[in-house]
Amino acid sequence: ELGVIMPNHTTNFVTIETNTNAHEEIQALEELKNDLRIKEDMFDFNGIIPMPEEIKKGATLGHDFETGEKKEHKDYALDGGVYKPKNPITRKYLMMEYGADNWYDFACLHWGTKWNAYEFELIQDEEHVFFVSFLSAWDSPRGIAEKLNSYCDQHNLVLDWTAEHEFEDDIEQIA
């Protein structure tokens, strides 16, 4: 039996702050914190690029490592290591709409990494700034960084995103 292959971890450091402390900037920063679920101790990629429910459902199926039970769903089948909708029309629709018909492909395509953020740490949280760190698998979620950069530009917020990749010495400026 094959064991679970662990990815290389990337440590991400993200700071977002207001530029002039204007009310609109503070409000935009607060909305962003809510979307990312910062107060719930996470940096949820779904707040920036939401994974559609039909695709997310497949991620909840399979072997539950904690309980040992196998979770199945009548409308989903294991295909190439991931659960996908059984209905070919549904799969075709998902491919056309999102470019993916399963959680793994969606995450890689849109987020730039296979899992959501993990080992989240809230380092600073104030009205005008927040600073967090979290791990991501393989690389920084570049799709998320790109969208976040656009949001910050649009709302006059300052984004600083750096990353340390496992087994590499230098720090990369992501955004």
Side-chain angles (χ1 to χ4, degrees):
E1 188 183 331
L2 288 174
V4 176
I5 298 168
M6 294 307 293
N8 290 348
H9 306 288
T10 295
T11 307
N12 298 271
F13 298 96
V14 180
T15 306
I16 301 177
E17 54 191 317
T18 58
N19 204 9
T20 66
N21 274 346
H23 175 72
E24 295 79 18
E25 294 173 14
I26 291 171
Q27 201 172 352
L29 186 64
E30 193 56 39
E31 283 174 23
L32 187 58
K33 288 183 201 176
N34 289 337
D35 289 348
L36 290 167
R37 298 168 66 188
I38 298 297
K39 298 267 189 281
E40 297 171 56
D41 256 356
M42 57 175 64
F43 189 95
D44 187 2
F45 299 166
N46 286 294
I48 304 295
I49 301 175
M51 184 178 287
E53 286 305 318
E54 314 95 310
I55 290 177
K56 200 188 287 182
K57 175 76 183 157
T60 65
L61 303 173
H63 189 81
D64 188 316
F65 290 106
E66 288 172 22
T67 63
E69 68 180 286
K70 198 163 169 71
K71 294 179 183 168
E72 299 288 342
H73 189 283
K74 64 180 176 52
D75 297 331
Y76 289 76
L78 191 58
D79 178 354
V82 290
Y83 282 86
K84 299 178 181 181
K86 286 180 184 173
N87 186 324
I89 294 165
T90 303
R91 285 172 63 169
K92 189 169 190 156
Y93 163 77
L94 293 172
M95 287 301 293
M96 287 170 56
E97 194 70 18
Y98 307 109
D101 62 3
N102 65 83
W103 69 268
Y104 181 88
D105 291 347
F106 180 91
C108 292
L109 181 66
H110 296 282
W111 296 348
T113 181
K114 65 178 177 174
W115 296 329
N116 210 329
Y118 52 100
E119 293 193 26
F120 170 85
E121 191 181 337
L122 180 58
I123 299 163
Q124 185 182 6
D125 182 14
E126 293 170 43
E127 183 181 66
H128 66 284
V129 62
F130 77 93
F131 174 31
V132 300
S133 74
F134 60 88
L135 296 183
S136 53
W138 299 324
D139 193 6
S140 292
R142 293 173 191 270
I144 299 298
E146 209 173 288
K147 273 290 234 260
L148 209 46
N149 208 11
S150 300
Y151 181 91
C152 290
D153 286 348
Q154 195 181 334
H155 294 92
N156 202 27
L157 300 174
V158 182
L159 170 65
D160 181 60
W161 187 321
T162 57
E164 291 176 13
H165 304 287
E166 202 170 22
F167 311 118
E168 291 179 29
D169 292 334
D170 50 333
I171 293 172
E172 182 186 1
Q173 190 73 40
I174 303 295

